[in-house]
Amino acid sequence: PSFAPDWSLERPVTRWSDVGGQAYAKRVLQETLALLQGSAKALEARGFRLPRAILLYGPPGCSKTLLARAAAAESRLPMLMVRGPELFNKYVGESEKAVQRVFQRARAAAPSLLFFDEIDALATNRSRAASDGSTGAEERVLAQLLTELDGIDPLRDVVVLAATNRPDLLDEALLRPGRFDRLVYVALPETEEREHILAIHLGKVPLAMSMQTCGSDASTAAPATSRERLCAELAARTEGYSGAELAALVREACLLAMEENPANADCIQPYHLLEALQRVRPRTDPNLLRVY
Ligand code: ATP
C-alpha cells in the first residue's frame, strides 16, 4: 500500500508564546533542540552523550502536541506527525512496515522533527500485550520502533518527540539510554499558567467588558487591565482545568454570545464566560501523576 498521503510534512506556525505556562517543558525542548542543532558535534567529540529523543507525558489536553508544533516551528524544522492508534489500526498486519516508512520519510526530509502522538499504542509493555492474547503484531511494531530509534543519528538526522497520557503502559525498552532518554512531565496548569492560557485564547476573540464597548476590533474592545483582571478571576475559578478545557471554556462563551445575539454574533461579555464555567467542567483525571 502507499503510505505517502498519511505522513505528510507539516510546517507548523505555532510559537512558544502560543503555549501558556509549561516553562519547564519549553526549556527542555529549547535546550535540547539548540544542542542538537548547534554545538552537538563538538560536544559529542568530547565524549558527551547527547539526548536522542524526548518523551512528553502527562494528562490529556495539556499542550503536548502544541509544544511539539512550537518546537518544530521555532527550530524551522518540518514536522511529521504520526498518531499511534491510527498507524496501528490502519495498517493491520503491516504496521511495522508503516513504522519503517515513517522513519524513511522523516529522514528524507531531514533535518526534520518526527512526532509520535499517543506512542503507547505502538509501544505497549510486552508482558501486557502477551497477556491480552495479542497476535504478535504489537511486538513486531515495538521491535521495529526500537530498531529505527537506534538507527537515528541525532546530529544530522531527525529529532524524535513523542507524547503519551499513559506512560505506565510503555515498554521499558523504549526508555533506555539512547532511546527516549529525556522524559518531560507536562502537568495540568497552575493558577498563573491558567491565567496565561486564558489570555492567549481570549486574545483571539472579541471581548467586551460592557455592551457599549462592544466593537469589531478584538484587540481594543476591552481595556487591557480589565482583561487581565478577568483572566485572573477565571484562573482562580478553574482549578483542575486542562489547557484544552480552558480553550473549550472560551469557545463555549462564544457560543453563548452568539445564541444571545446572532446579529452581533461574536461579542463576548464577562458574564458569558462565567456562564460557560457552569457548562464546561474539568474532567481531567488529577490522579494521572508524575511517574518518572
Ligand atoms: P492529548 O494528550 O489529548 O493529545 P495534548 O496534551 O497533546 O492532549 P494539545 O493537543 O496540545 O494537548 O492541546 C489541545 C488544545 O488545548 C490546544 O490546541 C490548545 O488550543 C489548548 N491548549 C492546551 N494547553 C495549552 C496551553 N498551555 N496554552 C494554550 N493553549 C493550550
Side-chain angles (χ1 to χ4, degrees):
S2 163
F3 296 101
D6 297 315
W7 320 121
S8 53
L9 289 171
E10 280 180 42
R11 296 244 168 219
V13 291
T14 311
R15 313 308 309 246
W16 292 122
S17 57
D18 294 326
V19 188
Q22 303 298 356
Y24 174 70
K26 283 183 197 170
R27 199 171 66 238
V28 173
L29 287 168
Q30 282 163 352
E31 283 173 5
T32 309
L33 281 153
L35 194 66
L36 295 180
Q37 294 192 309
S39 49
K41 233 179 209 169
L43 285 174
E44 204 171 53
R46 284 162 53 197
F48 284 96
R49 200 176 55 76
L50 290 170
R52 290 257 167 168
I54 305 174
L55 178 72
L56 304 169
Y57 74 98
C62 288
S63 77
K64 296 182 290 299
T65 309
L66 210 55
L67 284 163
R69 287 211 164 92
E74 296 273 9
S75 316
R76 297 197 189 82
L77 297 175
M79 172 166 132
L80 197 62
M81 175 158 161
V82 177
R83 292 181 184 81
E86 207 174 285
L87 185 147
F88 207 91
N89 297 328
K90 217 159 172 177
Y91 303 105
V92 182
E94 303 246 349
S95 309
E96 67 270 29
K97 270 193 208 139
V99 170
Q100 202 178 19
R101 295 293 295 265
V102 159
F103 276 86
Q104 271 170 7
R105 182 99 173 83
R107 264 192 216 106
S112 63
L113 189 148
L114 176 52
F115 175 56
F116 288 96
D117 200 9
E118 298 182 63
I119 195 169
D120 44 283
L122 302 179
T124 311
N125 181 297
R126 273 175 273 201
S127 52
R128 182 187 291 259
S131 67
D132 287 352
S134 85
T135 56
E138 285 92 345
E139 288 214 17
R140 290 200 303 276
V141 167
L142 173 62
Q144 189 65 44
L145 189 58
L146 297 177
T147 306
E148 297 292 346
L149 281 170
D150 291 346
I152 282 279
D153 176 346
L155 296 185
R156 281 169 293 278
D157 230 346
V158 179
V159 179
V160 183
L161 298 186
T164 181
N165 305 323
R166 294 297 309 270
D168 53 310
L169 295 183
L170 294 180
D171 195 279
E172 279 172 24
L174 198 69
L175 307 177
R176 296 226 177 93
R179 292 172 185 162
F180 283 92
D181 42 17
R182 289 233 163 147
L183 306 183
V184 179
Y185 181 62
V186 182
L188 274 176
E190 305 280 348
T191 314
E192 247 180 59
E193 299 183 289
R194 293 197 298 276
E195 213 174 309
H196 188 179
I197 297 170
L198 284 161
I200 290 170
H201 288 278
L202 282 172
K204 297 177 193 162
V205 298
L207 173 70
M209 302 309 282
S210 74
M211 268 305 178
Q212 286 74 38
T213 57
C214 202
S216 55
D217 186 348
S219 59
T220 56
T225 48
S226 42
R227 239 170 218 271
E228 276 167 25
R229 232 180 298 126
L230 179 64
C231 288
E233 192 187 328
L234 288 169
R237 293 184 183 209
T238 44
E239 167 102 51
Y241 282 67
S242 67
E245 287 163 343
L246 294 172
L249 184 77
V250 173
R251 273 199 306 276
E252 186 64 29
C254 288
L255 285 179
L256 286 168
M258 229 187 273
E259 278 167 24
E260 187 183 279
N261 185 359
N264 191 5
D266 46 18
C267 190
I268 302 181
Q269 305 283 337
Y271 66 82
H272 293 130
L273 285 154
L274 297 179
E275 199 179 328
L277 277 178
Q278 308 305 314
R279 300 198 182 186
V280 180
R281 305 302 306 166
R283 287 160 181 246
T284 312
D285 180 2
N287 293 319
L288 210 163
L289 295 177
R290 199 178 295 240
V291 291
Y292 298 111

